[in-house]
Amino acid sequence: MKKSIIANWKSNKTLSEVAYWLNNFPNNEESQKALASLEIILAPPYPFLALAKEIIMERQLPIKLAVQDLSGFGSGAYTGEVAAFNLQDLDVQYAILGHSERRRFLTETSQLIADKVAEALKFQIKPILCLDKPYFTEQARFLSSDSMSACSLAYEPVAAIGSGQAEEAGNLLAVRQELAPLYEAKTLIYGGSVNADNVGAYLKVCDGVLLGGASLELKNFVDLLYVASESLKI
Ligand code: PGA
């Protein structure tokens, strides 16, 4: 199984910065071989999805697309919302849902997040469900059994996000054990201050990592990918 490296750009970057990042992402025989053990997933801001899709196709980049959120409603009269329905034809394969920044700044509830998960699944978009400990039990109560088994779980301790204070990789086994009886999902991703120095440790105990800050600068990100892929050989 490939390990997932998920780049969440949050509300960063302009159109030209997105074009630069993707047009300069390495794509030669050497890089393709080196990165073959990784599933690289990019979540740009919504306005840049179509451009990202175009460059990824044109350059045949080994990058899959994710959204950072989607609507808990279907298509229709929901001004400002982007429905999973709208994403058809954009090659979006994943949706990061329930990120703690959305709970905190946009008052997302576990019910709304569960609705978003269900909407994503209607359109074959795989949810990457973000969870911190206070919501492990509560969020599970709102999900149908089908939703649960279809989600990848991303353990995202709020204190670790953007703080440089990553959670010890050694704690993740206990997290996995805590989540196992609550959720049917088997995939566990870790997010929170992941960087090139610690990514190898997380990939030993998790199925992938979710990056914010460390995904923004192309060089940093590519360096991290190489470190991640080397770490899997050991
Ligand atoms: P960070 O963000 O890598 O900047 O800590 C992680 C996240 O929000 O998942």
Side-chain angles (χ1 to χ4, degrees), residues 125-163:
I125 296 173
K126 188 169 176 66
I128 298 166
L129 178 63
C130 298
L131 287 168
D132 191 6
K133 282 191 180 157
Y135 295 103
F136 280 8
T137 311
E138 181 188 302
Q139 185 64 72
R141 272 195 277 119
F142 285 89
L143 293 169
S144 69
S145 151
D146 283 353
S147 289
M148 269 192 197
S149 53
C151 283
S152 292
L153 299 182
Y155 170 54
E156 294 240 324
V158 169
I161 295 175
S163 63

Coordinates of all heavy atoms in Angstrom, one line a residue, residues 125-163:
I125 N -16.4 10.5 -3.9 CA -15.2 11.2 -3.3 C -14.9 10.7 -2.0 O -15.8 10.5 -1.1 CB -15.6 12.7 -3.2 CG1 -15.8 13.3 -4.6 CG2 -14.5 13.5 -2.5 CD1 -16.3 14.7 -4.7
K126 N -13.7 10.3 -1.7 CA -13.3 9.6 -0.5 C -13.1 10.6 0.6 O -12.2 11.5 0.5 CB -12.1 8.8 -0.7 CG -11.8 7.9 0.5 CD -10.7 6.8 0.2 CE -10.4 6.0 1.4 NZ -11.4 5.2 2.0
P127 N -13.8 10.6 1.7 CA -13.6 11.5 2.8 C -12.4 11.2 3.6 O -12.1 10.1 3.9 CB -14.9 11.3 3.7 CG -15.8 10.5 2.9 CD -15.0 9.7 2.0
I128 N -11.6 12.3 3.9 CA -10.5 12.2 4.9 C -11.1 12.9 6.1 O -11.1 14.2 6.1 CB -9.3 12.9 4.3 CG1 -8.8 12.1 3.0 CG2 -8.2 12.9 5.4 CD1 -7.8 12.9 2.2
L129 N -11.5 12.2 7.0 CA -12.3 12.8 8.2 C -11.3 13.2 9.3 O -10.6 12.3 9.8 CB -13.3 11.7 8.7 CG -14.1 12.1 9.9 CD1 -15.0 13.3 9.6 CD2 -15.0 11.0 10.4
C130 N -11.2 14.5 9.5 CA -10.3 15.0 10.5 C -10.9 14.8 11.9 O -12.1 15.2 12.1 CB -9.9 16.4 10.3 SG -9.1 16.7 8.7
L131 N -10.1 14.4 12.9 CA -10.6 14.2 14.2 C -9.6 14.5 15.3 O -8.4 14.1 15.1 CB -11.0 12.7 14.4 CG -12.2 12.1 13.7 CD1 -12.1 10.6 13.8 CD2 -13.4 12.6 14.4
D132 N -10.0 15.2 16.3 CA -9.1 15.3 17.5 C -9.9 14.6 18.6 O -11.1 14.3 18.5 CB -8.9 16.8 17.8 CG -7.8 17.0 18.9 OD1 -7.2 16.0 19.2 OD2 -7.6 18.1 19.3
K133 N -9.1 14.3 19.7 CA -9.7 13.4 20.7 C -11.0 13.8 21.2 O -11.9 12.9 21.4 CB -8.7 13.3 21.8 CG -7.6 12.3 21.5 CD -6.7 12.0 22.7 CE -5.6 11.0 22.2 NZ -4.4 10.9 23.0
P134 N -11.3 15.1 21.5 CA -12.6 15.4 22.1 C -13.8 15.0 21.2 O -14.9 15.0 21.7 CB -12.6 17.0 22.2 CG -11.1 17.3 22.2 CD -10.4 16.3 21.4
Y135 N -13.5 14.8 19.9 CA -14.6 14.4 19.0 C -14.6 13.0 18.6 O -15.5 12.6 17.8 CB -14.6 15.3 17.8 CG -14.8 16.8 18.1 CD1 -13.8 17.7 18.2 CD2 -16.1 17.2 18.4 CE1 -14.0 19.0 18.6 CE2 -16.3 18.5 18.8 CZ -15.3 19.4 18.9 OH -15.5 20.7 19.2
F136 N -13.7 12.2 19.1 CA -13.6 10.8 18.6 C -15.0 10.1 18.8 O -15.5 9.5 17.8 CB -12.6 10.0 19.5 CG -11.2 10.1 19.1 CD1 -10.8 11.1 18.1 CD2 -10.2 9.3 19.6 CE1 -9.5 11.2 17.8 CE2 -8.9 9.5 19.3 CZ -8.5 10.4 18.4
T137 N -15.6 10.2 20.0 CA -16.8 9.5 20.2 C -18.0 10.2 19.6 O -18.9 9.6 19.0 CB -17.1 9.3 21.8 OG1 -15.8 8.8 22.3 CG2 -18.2 8.4 22.1
E138 N -18.0 11.5 19.8 CA -19.2 12.3 19.3 C -19.4 12.1 17.8 O -20.5 11.9 17.3 CB -19.0 13.8 19.7 CG -20.2 14.6 19.2 CD -20.0 16.1 19.4 OE1 -19.8 16.5 20.5 OE2 -20.1 16.8 18.4
Q139 N -18.3 12.3 17.1 CA -18.4 12.3 15.6 C -18.9 10.9 15.1 O -19.7 10.8 14.2 CB -17.0 12.6 14.9 CG -17.1 12.7 13.4 CD -18.0 13.8 12.9 OE1 -17.7 15.0 13.0 NE2 -19.2 13.5 12.4
A140 N -18.4 9.8 15.8 CA -18.8 8.5 15.4 C -20.3 8.3 15.5 O -20.9 7.6 14.7 CB -18.0 7.5 16.3
R141 N -20.9 8.9 16.5 CA -22.3 8.7 16.7 C -23.2 9.3 15.6 O -24.3 8.9 15.4 CB -22.7 9.4 18.0 CG -22.6 8.5 19.3 CD -23.3 9.0 20.5 NE -22.5 10.0 21.2 CZ -22.9 11.3 21.4 NH1 -24.0 11.7 20.9 NH2 -22.1 12.1 22.0
F142 N -22.6 10.3 14.9 CA -23.4 10.9 13.8 C -23.2 10.2 12.4 O -23.8 10.6 11.5 CB -23.0 12.4 13.7 CG -23.5 13.2 14.7 CD1 -22.9 13.4 15.9 CD2 -24.8 13.8 14.6 CE1 -23.4 14.2 17.0 CE2 -25.3 14.6 15.6 CZ -24.6 14.8 16.8
L143 N -22.3 9.3 12.3 CA -22.0 8.7 11.0 C -22.7 7.4 10.8 O -22.8 6.6 11.8 CB -20.5 8.4 10.9 CG -19.5 9.6 10.9 CD1 -18.1 9.2 11.0 CD2 -19.7 10.4 9.5
S144 N -23.2 7.2 9.6 CA -23.8 5.8 9.3 C -22.6 4.8 9.2 O -21.5 5.2 9.0 CB -24.5 5.9 8.0 OG -23.6 6.0 7.0
S145 N -23.0 3.6 9.3 CA -22.0 2.6 9.3 C -21.3 2.6 7.9 O -20.1 2.4 7.8 CB -22.6 1.2 9.6 OG -22.0 0.2 9.0
D146 N -22.0 2.8 6.8 CA -21.4 2.9 5.5 C -20.4 4.1 5.4 O -19.3 3.9 4.8 CB -22.5 3.2 4.4 CG -23.2 1.9 4.1 OD1 -22.8 0.8 4.6 OD2 -24.2 2.0 3.4
S147 N -20.8 5.2 6.0 CA -19.9 6.4 6.0 C -18.6 6.0 6.7 O -17.5 6.3 6.2 CB -20.6 7.6 6.7 OG -21.6 8.1 5.9
M148 N -18.8 5.4 7.9 CA -17.6 5.1 8.7 C -16.6 4.3 7.9 O -15.4 4.5 7.9 CB -18.0 4.3 9.9 CG -18.3 5.2 11.0 SD -18.5 4.1 12.4 CE -19.3 5.2 13.5
S149 N -17.1 3.2 7.3 CA -16.2 2.3 6.7 C -15.5 2.9 5.5 O -14.5 2.5 5.0 CB -16.8 0.9 6.4 OG -18.0 1.2 5.6
A150 N -16.1 3.9 4.9 CA -15.6 4.5 3.7 C -14.6 5.7 4.0 O -13.9 6.1 3.1 CB -16.7 5.1 2.8
C151 N -14.5 6.1 5.2 CA -13.6 7.3 5.5 C -12.2 6.8 5.8 O -12.0 5.8 6.4 CB -14.1 8.0 6.8 SG -15.5 9.0 6.6
S152 N -11.3 7.7 5.4 CA -9.9 7.6 6.0 C -10.0 8.5 7.2 O -10.5 9.6 7.1 CB -8.9 8.1 5.1 OG -8.8 7.3 4.0
L153 N -9.4 8.1 8.3 CA -9.4 9.0 9.5 C -8.1 9.7 9.6 O -7.0 9.1 9.4 CB -9.5 8.1 10.8 CG -10.8 7.3 10.9 CD1 -10.9 6.6 12.2 CD2 -12.1 8.2 10.7
A154 N -8.2 11.0 9.8 CA -7.0 11.8 10.0 C -7.0 12.3 11.5 O -7.8 13.2 11.8 CB -6.9 13.0 9.0
Y155 N -6.1 11.8 12.3 CA -5.9 12.3 13.6 C -5.2 13.6 13.6 O -4.0 13.6 13.2 CB -5.2 11.2 14.5 CG -4.8 11.7 15.9 CD1 -5.8 12.2 16.7 CD2 -3.5 11.6 16.3 CE1 -5.5 12.7 18.0 CE2 -3.2 12.1 17.6 CZ -4.2 12.6 18.4 OH -3.8 13.1 19.6
E156 N -5.8 14.6 14.1 CA -5.3 16.0 14.0 C -5.4 16.7 15.4 O -6.4 17.4 15.6 CB -6.1 16.8 13.0 CG -6.0 16.2 11.6 CD -5.4 17.3 10.7 OE1 -5.7 18.5 10.8 OE2 -4.6 16.9 9.8
P157 N -4.4 16.4 16.2 CA -4.5 17.1 17.5 C -4.4 18.6 17.4 O -3.4 19.1 16.7 CB -3.3 16.5 18.3 CG -2.5 15.9 17.3 CD -3.3 15.6 16.1
V158 N -5.4 19.4 17.8 CA -5.4 20.8 17.6 C -4.1 21.5 18.0 O -3.6 22.4 17.3 CB -6.6 21.4 18.3 CG1 -6.6 23.0 18.3 CG2 -7.9 21.0 17.6
A159 N -3.6 21.1 19.2 CA -2.4 21.7 19.7 C -1.2 21.6 18.8 O -0.2 22.3 18.8 CB -2.1 21.2 21.1
A160 N -1.2 20.6 17.9 CA -0.1 20.3 17.0 C -0.2 21.0 15.7 O 0.8 21.1 15.0 CB 0.0 18.8 16.8
I161 N -1.3 21.6 15.4 CA -1.5 22.1 14.1 C -0.9 23.5 14.0 O -1.2 24.4 14.8 CB -3.0 22.2 13.7 CG1 -3.6 20.8 13.6 CG2 -3.2 23.0 12.4 CD1 -5.1 20.7 13.3
G162 N 0.0 23.7 13.1 CA 0.7 25.0 12.8 C 1.5 25.5 14.0 O 1.9 26.6 14.0
S163 N 1.8 24.6 15.0 CA 2.5 25.1 16.2 C 3.9 24.7 16.3 O 4.7 25.2 17.1 CB 1.8 24.5 17.4 OG 1.9 23.1 17.4

